[in-house]
Amino acid sequence: MKFDKNRYKVYTWKNGMMLHWVLNPGVVINDLILGQKVSKIILEDKTIDKPRIERTFIPCPHCETIHDARTWSLQNGTILKNWFGLYCKSCGKTIPCMNNGLSLIILAVTFPIWGWFKNSLKAKWLAKQPERYKNIELELSKNPFGKKTWIKTGLGYGAIMFLIMSIGFPYFEDHEITLKSLTVGIVVWTIFGLIFGYTMKSYMSKRGDKVDKNVTE
Ligand SMILES: [Zn+2]
């Protein structure tokens, strides 16, 4: 699928944020358990004078429909449970998504268990999808990293990372969990969460480049 390079900036796994989805072992929770997915290709329209979250698009390689990325959002109830990929409501197929490294390893090791059911699971999942996308409202999909929400979202992300990195991993790897390691964890992940939230806020609210130059604020 070809894209108008003058209009769209094309993001693939080579982009830092997308690479994070592949490399961060914590993402395995989002990926395998929650079914939160990131498309392999994300487009950013450079020409629209709106915050980035409103000019981010996801193309379907099967029917070439360019979907507003907010089709898959918390508000629409479509951000999770996308285990088999992002469902395209135009053609009924799934848009290929990025694979987290640890997820791939876990899937490969457990393949003998779930491999048998893969096709029937996917068929069942696919059958449920049209209903989920019947009443998608893009305007409802507010930016989780908006002016008032980035702190909450950032701290929430920090809390999840704390649970995984300071409790989950040490527990399974048989490392000692002490008051000191927990305190350090809380401090580190709180700061990390806030930086993450703020970075995402700045990122998501960035307006189109071409328009920026003409606007004096
Ligand atoms: Zn499609």
Side-chain angles (χ1 to χ4, degrees):
M1 196 172 170
K2 290 237 179 311
F3 307 105
D4 177 357
K5 290 271 165 70
N6 290 320
R7 179 167 177 194
Y8 295 113
K9 182 168 179 201
V10 183
Y11 291 92
T12 63
W13 65 272
K14 290 173 209 150
N15 175 265
M17 269 201 187
M18 308 269 278
L19 199 56
H20 161 259
W21 194 264
V22 178
L23 298 178
N24 182 351
V27 164
V28 76
I29 307 279
N30 307 63
D31 190 7
L32 288 190
I33 297 175
L34 303 175
Q36 185 181 5
K37 292 285 175 177
V38 173
S39 165
K40 278 187 178 163
I41 296 175
I42 297 177
L43 304 175
E44 179 190 322
D45 191 319
K46 297 186 277 190
T47 64
I48 305 178
D49 179 27
K50 279 188 176 159
R52 192 176 253 133
I53 192 162
E54 292 178 39
R55 54 190 179 85
T56 301
F57 297 87
I58 294 175
C60 171
H62 310 293
C63 66
E64 307 209 341
T65 303
I66 294 190
H67 296 280
D68 189 306
R70 291 171 297 168
T71 302
W72 299 274
S73 70
L74 195 61
Q75 284 79 6
N76 281 312
T78 48
I79 199 166
L80 305 179
K81 302 186 187 170
N82 301 323
W83 294 287
F84 295 93
L86 296 175
Y87 178 75
C88 170
K89 61 176 177 168
S90 305
C91 69
K93 291 185 178 161
T94 48
I95 299 171
C97 293
M98 311 258 288
N99 288 304
N100 174 256
L102 184 57
S103 297
L104 278 184
I105 296 171
I106 293 176
L107 285 177
V109 172
T110 58
F111 184 79
I113 302 167
W114 61 267
W116 300 93
F117 310 107
K118 191 189 168 207
N119 291 340
S120 67
L121 284 174
K122 184 168 182 184
K124 252 188 212 164
W125 175 86
L126 259 179
K128 283 185 193 158
Q129 300 312 306
E131 186 65 30
R132 295 179 73 203
Y133 292 84
K134 250 160 92 185
N135 302 309
I136 294 295
E137 289 194 47
L138 301 177
E139 297 311 315
L140 269 180
S141 313
K142 296 206 182 73
N143 186 354
F145 299 97
K147 255 182 200 155
K148 288 176 188 156
T149 46
W150 68 270
I151 296 182
K152 209 173 128 194
T153 313
L155 287 178
Y157 187 79
I160 292 170
M161 290 305 291
F162 168 73
L163 289 176
I164 295 169
M165 305 304 285
S166 299
I167 296 177
F169 277 112
Y171 179 81
F172 286 111
E173 286 177 0
D174 232 5
H175 285 218
E176 209 184 347
I177 301 173
T178 60
L179 186 63
K180 190 183 162 201
S181 77
L182 289 179
T183 313
V184 171
I186 287 175
V187 173
V188 167
W189 292 113
T190 301
I191 295 170
F192 179 84
L194 288 173
I195 294 174
F196 173 73
Y198 186 78
T199 311
M200 288 301 287
K201 170 189 168 275
S202 318
Y203 184 81
M204 289 297 196
S205 49
K206 172 92 170 55
R207 285 171 182 261
D209 283 342
K210 284 191 177 166
V211 185
D212 262 2
K213 285 164 196 158
N214 303 324
V215 178
T216 42
E217 280 182 281

